[in-house]
């Protein structure tokens, strides 16, 4: 499934907060504007910016790649590292692309709208895929950060079409037409960061999931799916558990760690290696520190059938039930 991140976020939020219980409330009550400034992982206690202290049965850290809380779990600083790589993102109408005979011929493959182009000279990786019911074609161009790519401390910055075309100078003229189809203010650049893999995602009565747990480049668009797998694991492991029973909470968190460290670190390391992945010297040895399962043979390119089966065919519900 390929989804626009805004649609995914809004859909998950609606599922979580819509009235669906006997008392007319949602599964989740969201409290906005409650900044967390301190965390005691062992006691599952949060300190808020207004001075309040809140204790819960279980704490899940999920504050993203620039997490300020994960160091309370690890016990040491976990600052992200600039990779020197950035990504251009923009959307175009799928009908506009398919109306061009040169471009339409490129999209006749197994997955309509899905295509990956690689420039090995400038190390540019361009992926397109449809979202919003196939009406929109999402474009993502991973490239070496250029001088005009905006401020490093900004979530994203606008860029001009000429900047994008400079990165794509080695691509065929027909492909560059997709840049011209973007609106003038529609292309943004995001800077890409990484962080060494964590050896544990749990401490006391606290766990970390999502980008806060594994900072990965978007080479395989796998960050969101891996986070949802972790949520499925928590759902399965804690179904019917009395949260007041500290021993059982910690026991289930240990199972969560056993399930998720191999899977998440495999995906993160594969993503951060870029299109060459298993051909990168030392990468397979690093993966084997955490993951002992099967890998595609060396030379397998990202987004091939073997690679998709590894990253996207995993059944975390089944894995968690088996662990229990």
């Amino acid at each position: 499934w390929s989804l626009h991140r805004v649609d995914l976020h809004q859909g998950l939020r609606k599922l979580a907060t819509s009235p669906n219980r006997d008392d007319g409330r949602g599964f989740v009550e969201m409290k906005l504007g409650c900044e967390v400034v301190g965390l005691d992982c062992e006691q599952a206690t949060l300190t808020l910016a207004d001075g309040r202290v809140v204790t819960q049965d279980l704490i899940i850290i999920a504050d993203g790649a620039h997490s300020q809380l994960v160091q309370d779990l690890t016990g040491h600083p976990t600052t992200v590292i600039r990779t020197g790589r950035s990504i251009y993102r923009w959307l175009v109408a799928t009908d506009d692309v398919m109306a061009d005979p040169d471009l339409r011929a490129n999209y006749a493959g197994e997955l309509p709208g899905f295509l990956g182009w690689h420039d090995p000279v400038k190390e540019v990786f361009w992926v397109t895929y449809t979202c919003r019911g196939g009406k929109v074609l999402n474009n993502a161009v991973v490239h070496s950060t250029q001088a005009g790519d905006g401020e490093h401390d900004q979530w994203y910055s606008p860029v001009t079409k000429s900047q994008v075309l400079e990165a794509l100078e080695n691509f065929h003229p027909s492909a560059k037409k997709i840049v011209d189809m973007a609106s003038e203010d529609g292309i943004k650049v995001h800077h890409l960061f990484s962080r060494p893999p964590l050896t544990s995602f749990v401490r006391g009565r606290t766990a970390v999931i999502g980008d806060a747990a594994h900072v990965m480049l978007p080479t395989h668009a796998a960050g969101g799916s891996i986070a949802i797998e972790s949520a499925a694991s928590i759902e399965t492991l804690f179904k019917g558990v009395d949260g007041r029973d500290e021993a059982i909470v910690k026991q289930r968190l240990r199972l969560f760690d056993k399930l998720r460290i191999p899977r998440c670190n495999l995906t993160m390391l594969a993503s951060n290696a870029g299109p060459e992945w298993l051909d990168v010297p030392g990468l397979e040895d690093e993966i084997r520190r955490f993951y002992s399962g099967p890998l595609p043979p060396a030379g397998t390119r990202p987004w091939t059938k073997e690679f998709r089966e590894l990253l996207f065919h995993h059944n975390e519900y089944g894995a968690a039930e088996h662990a229990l």
Side-chain angles (χ1 to χ4, degrees):
W1 291 356
S2 53
L3 300 163
H4 191 297
R5 62 179 300 138
V6 171
D7 298 340
L8 177 62
H9 179 271
Q10 291 178 346
L12 291 172
R13 180 171 178 167
K14 183 178 179 181
L15 285 171
T17 59
S18 296
N20 46 32
R21 303 193 320 190
D22 292 340
D23 58 7
R25 298 168 61 190
F27 289 114
V28 174
E29 182 181 1
M30 300 184 68
K31 294 182 179 291
L32 303 179
C34 298
E35 181 187 359
V36 178
V37 296
L39 167 63
D40 185 325
C41 296
E42 296 292 344
Q43 301 302 320
T45 298
L46 300 172
T47 302
L48 306 184
D50 61 9
R52 284 182 293 161
V53 176
V54 181
T55 300
Q56 298 291 339
D57 300 329
L58 174 67
I59 301 291
I60 306 295
I61 300 172
D63 57 340
H66 297 277
S67 175
Q68 299 298 306
L69 298 174
V70 70
Q71 62 186 9
D72 293 323
L73 183 141
T74 62
H76 56 78
T78 53
T79 307
V80 293
I81 304 164
R82 292 178 181 177
T83 63
R85 303 280 282 170
S86 299
I87 181 168
Y88 296 129
R89 292 188 181 277
W90 73 97
L91 303 171
V92 297
T94 306
D95 286 347
D96 290 347
V97 175
M98 298 308 174
D100 185 292
D102 292 330
L103 291 172
R104 184 171 62 246
N106 281 284
Y107 288 98
E110 174 187 358
L111 300 171
F114 185 88
L115 197 62
W117 289 307
H118 181 218
D119 170 7
V121 177
K122 294 187 67 172
E123 277 304 318
V124 177
F125 189 44
W126 183 356
V127 175
T128 75
Y129 54 88
T130 60
C131 49
R132 292 187 170 161
K135 296 178 181 178
V136 174
L137 191 71
N138 183 60
N139 289 267
V141 174
V142 179
H143 62 284
S144 295
T145 303
Q146 302 187 100
D149 277 352
E151 300 296 327
H152 281 280
D153 58 352
Q154 298 296 316
W155 171 237
Y156 65 82
S157 304
V159 294
T160 64
K161 293 181 182 180
S162 61
Q163 287 174 256
V164 179
L165 290 170
E166 183 179 344
L168 300 175
E169 64 178 342
N170 292 336
F171 284 78
H172 193 273
S174 63
K176 296 178 186 178
K177 295 177 187 178
I178 300 178
V179 180
D180 293 328
M181 294 175 184
S183 61
E184 282 302 326
D185 60 349
I187 306 180
K188 303 293 190 295
V189 62
H190 301 250
H191 299 295
L192 302 179
F193 299 85
S194 66
R195 192 183 63 202
L198 301 181
T199 57
S200 176
F201 294 154
V202 306
R203 180 178 178 184
R205 286 190 280 160
T206 304
V208 58
I209 70 170
D211 285 352
H214 37 75
V215 181
M216 66 180 73
L217 274 64
T219 312
H220 309 115
S225 60
I226 285 292
I228 292 174
E229 284 183 13
S230 295
S233 184
I234 290 172
E235 174 189 350
T236 304
L237 295 175
F238 284 90
K239 189 175 292 183
V241 168
D242 183 347
R244 296 167 296 181
D245 188 334
E246 183 175 347
I248 192 68
V249 168
K250 290 184 175 181
Q251 185 260 347
R252 295 300 167 90
L253 283 177
R254 287 193 294 271
L255 276 180
F256 173 80
D257 217 22
K258 182 178 179 181
L259 286 164
R260 299 310 298 159
I261 282 287
R263 179 93 182 131
C264 294
N265 284 349
L266 159 68
T267 306
M268 184 189 79
L269 290 167
S271 296
N272 291 352
E276 301 302 321
W277 88 295
L278 279 181
D279 292 337
V280 174
L283 179 67
E284 185 168 355
D285 291 339
E286 179 71 357
I287 288 173
R288 290 304 184 194
R289 290 178 54 209
F290 308 100
Y291 171 82
S292 60
L295 289 171
T300 303
R301 295 273 73 92
W303 297 113
T304 55
K305 185 174 186 293
E306 296 88 349
F307 204 93
R308 295 200 307 271
E309 287 180 350
L310 176 68
L311 289 191
F312 302 117
H313 287 206
H314 176 71
N315 179 357
E316 184 60 28
Y317 282 121
E321 288 166 359
H322 179 75
L324 287 173

